[in-house]
Amino acid sequence: MIAEFRERYPFPLDPFQEEAIAYLASGESAMVAAPTGTGKTVVAEFGVFRAARKGFKVMYTTPIKALSNQKFRDLRDQYGADKVGLLTGDIIENREGTIMVMTTEVLRNMLLQSPSELWDVGCIIFDEIHYLADPERGTTWEESIIMCPKYVQLVCLSATVSNAPEVADWISRTHKPVHLVTHLKRAVPLSLYYFLDGTLNMVINEKGQQIMDFNVGGEIRKKQQGQGRRGPILEEDVQTRERTEPTPREIVEALERDDLLPAIFFQFSRRDCEAAAEVCAMMRLEAINNPETLRRINEILSSYLERLTPEDRKLDQVQLIAYLARRGFGFHHAGLLPILKQLVEELFGKALMRVVFATDTLALGVNMPARTVVIGRMNKYDGISRRPLLPNEFQQMAGRAGRRGIDPKGHVVIPYSPWVTFHEALNIATGPLRPVESAFTMRYNSVLNLWEPPDGARVLRVMASSLLQFQQNRRLRDLEDVLEEEEERVAAIPVGCLIGYPDGEALLDEYERFGRVLEEIRRREKKAAQNVQYLELQREGIPWRRPEREVLRRLFRTLPQGALLHIDGKGWAIYLGRGLGAVVGLFLLVGEDGTQLGEVLPLTEYKPIDYLPETPVAVSLPPALTMLAVPPTVGLEDMLTPEEIRALREDLAYQFENLPDLEAWKAEYRAAQAAHVESAAEKAQAQLDAIREELREAAEAERNHVCHSCNVRGEHRSFRRQRARLLIDRDSAEKKLNERRKYEETRLQNTLQGLVNVLVQFSYIRKGELTNKARKLADVFDTNALMVLEMIEGNYLENLQPEDIAEIFSWFAYDRDIDFLNRLLLPRYLVNLRRELDDLQNAIFAAERRNNVSQTRGYNPYFFGAARAWCKGTSIADLLTQVDISEGDLVMTFNKTLDLMRQVRDMFVHHDPHHPLRTQLEEADKLVRRGVIQMAYTFGFQPSGEAEELEEVPGAE
């Protein structure tokens, strides 16, 4: 069988493909994780091939309808229209086919509501399984895998992710063993370029080696961040601001010049895509500018435009795409009409469109490989904030570069940006991939479909089987591993005496107690000695307060020469002035009674000055003393005349009559202090002597202990300290583990209880049993299902016309979180209905907030009037003059309106077939299904006017 399968391809299979196919051939499941463009789809095609040969049914699931449509066309071409069917919720083609292509949502709904439909299914293919991390679709994937019958073979295809083994391990535990096959090497190697100053500079070659480096980029952001800094602006800052950001046209011109087209140019704004395409369309591309190429383009254009009504051909978007296509350019985003998306994909796939400007949704969707990919910006707005691209996002887009079998290598271009530095961009391009993190959220309809009275035990089992819980348990397992490591580290520390004493631990405990006693006695000794010293200082104190340094420092700023002050240990002194290098100044010593004329003393600090007269006292100085800069080398007798010395002595004698006798004052004070503290000092000394005796005895006891002379005592003590620290770490790890276990025990129950509380409040569950309307809600899978059911059960839609029904359902179908200008009007009865719905919506939001549930999105307040006008015959063109949204968004919203009405209509078929709203929904469906809306359900399965083969090698992604 494998040999027969190999013959279907003109190229040899890669080893990783052979390995995965071998597992599938033996009936086992496989998960393949490989980069975009490496050919992992071949593995899925073997799953289909084997199922066809074995005669059992196979289901091929994809995350989005566009991929399902594309895969349906591919498989129908290979196996025939009678074998292949399509189920995407709103489209049903050949439901009895043995090869069924479907969105994952359809499979999940089957597993919940009609699992018997899978009795004859032998294989299910999950394409793009890394969508497990998608906030909108991830839960659908997890529920599908959890509820998938164990006998079914699984083929799981994933982009390269860092935790592929974890995902494979979860599938193996949840479903059945799955073999993980990883492949990191691309089939077409990539080179990375930095577009700077009009030049494509190769930064990383096809071998993965960095060959160039730049220190540019991010200047505007740096300037903004540095606007609050102090200091001058650097010259290099001014120079770097002069570089301008390259335009898309400059980059495309460089790509054409270097023969690197066709290219996908990724932007992160629809408007940017369209504007760039229009500007570049003014170029004349050599590959397009010839009669034969233009003939082929016009032939394909005609085949698509013929399917449109004359009125729709005049739509601005249709006219623009047709103009761009004839110039070799196009754009691709969610706001593009579905038929135009397919037109762009076909022209690009046949190399008739040289550059497509696309949002990053293209990287997650249809297969459109190119020779070159340009990542227009390295940051994007994700609905909350502008942030740098993730390495996963970059790799997903870059993976479109390099057409297998056509290009020897692919090319990825990063333009210079004044917002992002070169090194930041390089880190994104080469950084490690983020792991797939579960986005699992249990929804109301899943709860109701899985409910087992009285407490929903089956719901809990599904929640406990989710990847989210598996990853939460991984954190629990990590904590268990940490605790185990701590236990091992504790066990590795030797316990007991290292020289053989049987009671060694007790001996060391006793010895350490001696040490602690000694420490305590030494502490008391120190305190007692300080007390004795304090009492002694009281005896030696002085009766006046020494002047503080700050007081003296301020005083000496204005102190006159000749001022008298007292210097500790030197006696009274006359201030002569600052001098040179003395800091405080020069002082003439005059003794305690002022009769001595001693040496000239320089003071370098204020500390020795211990007394200042309360009233300043000063003497007159002879000129020779006032002019001193340094201490003199001769005596005063050689400096002053006898008359000057006599005058100075007389002045001193006079001034000393106003100065206190400090020595007498001090002696009298100390005599009084000695009498006062004598008794206390004797007691303090006796206490100190007793403590020192106690210290001596304790030290003697420590010296006599058996551990004192042990030469390994330090090592034994070190082991004990290590063990004590490790026990603290172990106890901390054990505490964290127990807290996590307790949290996990209650988290699932609390989550389910919140959902149940909301369902109980709105009477979907009563006393543990499902009510009749609960079975209706179980059939509606929209995020606003609860509000829609409450609206129906509350008879909000009574006595309305079909166009009104379509209008109301459209309010829940527009899901873009942006506001826009809307000039349409509603009749008063629908305005009043919206007000009633506001009250209902607020009640549901309040109930969900109280129970920590976030499910219902509500309707967009800016979208109204369009569906009603469409049903009454208004054209798309006229609608677009009234509502400021794109053609594609309008068509997508109408398609979602049809899908939501279909879900509710099917719900009535199952549970209330005679409900009058069922007929109204059928009539509303007919009114909406016309023109480009009806075409969205058929165009994807019709061949174009040209029958040429695609240039890609079959089987290549």
Side-chain angles (χ1 to χ4, degrees), residues 837-850:
L837 285 179
D838 285 340
D839 294 337
L840 172 61
Q841 181 170 272
N842 291 334
I844 292 174
F845 287 168
E848 291 187 339
R849 281 195 302 271
R850 283 194 300 271

Side-chain angles (χ1 to χ4, degrees), residues 698-841:
E700 181 69 19
E702 184 186 52
R703 284 193 299 272
N704 292 334
H705 194 275
V706 65
C707 289
H708 189 73
S709 58
C710 178
N711 59 357
V712 292
R713 184 187 73 240
E715 189 176 2
H716 188 178
R717 182 175 283 165
S718 175
F719 284 144
R720 283 165 61 98
R721 284 197 295 266
Q722 290 180 49
R723 183 177 175 82
R725 287 195 299 268
L726 290 175
L727 285 173
I728 292 173
D729 292 342
R730 185 206 63 183
D731 292 345
S732 175
E734 188 172 23
K735 181 181 178 182
K736 289 179 181 176
L737 176 61
N738 290 334
E739 288 174 351
R740 188 75 194 189
R741 280 175 175 160
K742 185 176 180 180
Y743 169 77
E744 289 301 328
E745 287 172 1
T746 58
R747 186 181 64 83
L748 290 180
Q749 186 63 55
N750 290 342
T751 300
L752 176 58
Q753 191 59 54
L755 292 166
V756 170
N757 288 346
V758 176
L759 292 171
V760 168
Q761 177 175 334
F762 290 96
S763 302
Y764 291 89
I765 297 176
R766 185 179 296 121
K767 296 182 180 179
E769 298 286 343
L770 299 185
T771 62
N772 288 332
K773 71 174 187 175
R775 293 174 177 82
K776 297 178 182 178
L777 178 57
D779 277 4
V780 182
F781 289 86
D782 191 84
T783 54
N784 287 306
L786 177 61
M787 189 170 174
V788 171
L789 260 293
E790 284 300 295
M791 177 179 69
I792 293 170
E793 291 293 311
N795 297 321
Y796 287 72
L797 307 182
E798 277 189 341
N799 303 318
L800 293 177
Q801 296 300 311
E803 59 269 23
D804 296 329
I805 302 295
E807 168 66 21
I808 294 166
F809 274 81
S810 75
W811 300 343
F812 299 96
Y814 185 81
D815 57 5
R816 297 198 74 200
D817 293 326
I818 59 172
D819 54 5
F820 54 87
L821 186 62
N822 188 343
R823 303 177 188 84
L824 293 169
L825 299 175
L826 289 177
R828 181 164 298 280
Y829 62 89
L830 287 182
V831 172
N832 293 335
L833 178 60
R834 280 175 75 93
R835 290 172 181 163
E836 294 176 16
L837 285 179
D838 285 340
D839 294 337
L840 172 61
Q841 181 170 272

Side-chain angles (χ1 to χ4, degrees), residues 304-322 337-340 870 873-880 887 890-891 894 928-936:
Y304 279 84
L305 296 179
E306 285 171 1
R307 303 175 207 171
L308 296 171
T309 64
E311 182 181 62
D312 289 337
R313 288 176 208 160
K314 296 177 183 178
L315 288 172
D316 290 345
Q317 195 176 83
V318 175
Q319 294 291 311
L320 177 58
I321 284 291
L337 286 170
I339 189 171
L340 298 181
W870 173 255
T874 305
S875 68
I876 291 288
D878 287 343
L879 280 177
L880 294 174
E887 294 91 329
L890 196 58
V891 172
F894 289 166
V928 176
R929 285 181 184 270
R930 67 180 180 85
V932 290
I933 307 304
Q934 178 59 25
M935 186 174 298

Side-chain angles (χ1 to χ4, degrees), residues 492-684:
I493 302 296
V495 179
C497 181
L498 300 181
I499 59 175
Y501 280 95
D503 55 348
E505 288 296 318
L507 286 173
L508 187 57
D509 284 340
E510 183 180 60
Y511 183 74
E512 289 186 341
R513 278 197 300 275
F514 282 154
R516 290 191 293 273
V517 168
L518 275 171
E519 287 298 317
E520 173 60 21
I521 295 173
R522 289 191 182 103
R523 186 188 63 78
R524 289 191 286 119
E525 181 205 23
K526 182 178 180 181
K527 186 175 181 181
Q530 289 172 341
N531 190 33
V532 170
Q533 185 181 17
Y534 170 73
L535 292 171
E536 188 63 34
L537 287 174
Q538 282 191 313
R539 288 180 178 182
E540 299 298 321
I542 56 176
W544 63 85
R545 183 176 180 181
R546 297 176 69 99
E548 296 179 354
R549 180 184 180 282
E550 277 301 309
V551 173
L552 290 171
R553 191 175 66 81
R554 289 194 298 270
L555 174 68
F556 271 89
R557 292 174 184 169
T558 58
L559 189 68
Q561 291 176 303
L564 286 162
L565 47 77
H566 194 271
I567 299 175
D568 191 13
K570 301 292 184 179
W572 289 95
I574 302 172
Y575 175 58
L576 301 180
R578 286 284 186 183
L580 293 176
V583 179
V584 177
L586 298 176
F587 296 86
L588 174 62
L589 301 180
V590 297
E592 292 295 344
D593 56 1
T595 60
Q596 307 169 18
L597 293 178
E599 63 176 318
V600 175
L601 175 71
L603 278 186
T604 58
E605 59 179 341
Y606 295 105
K607 187 177 180 181
I609 301 173
D610 64 348
Y611 182 79
L612 290 170
E614 292 183 10
T615 302
V617 177
V619 297
S620 298
L621 295 175
L625 291 180
T626 62
M627 293 185 292
L628 282 176
V630 294
T633 57
V634 296
L636 289 181
E637 295 80 2
D638 297 326
M639 294 177 58
L640 305 176
T641 65
E643 291 78 12
E644 288 175 330
I645 292 175
R646 184 175 62 252
L648 180 59
R649 287 184 182 279
E650 289 174 355
D651 200 359
L652 275 170
Y654 175 76
Q655 296 299 340
F656 257 76
E657 293 179 2
N658 299 319
L659 295 175
D661 185 344
L662 296 182
E663 289 299 314
W665 190 10
K666 184 166 41 176
E668 180 183 355
Y669 173 78
R670 288 181 175 177
Q673 283 294 102
H676 177 70
V677 302
E678 183 175 0
S679 174
E682 289 177 357
K683 289 180 181 179

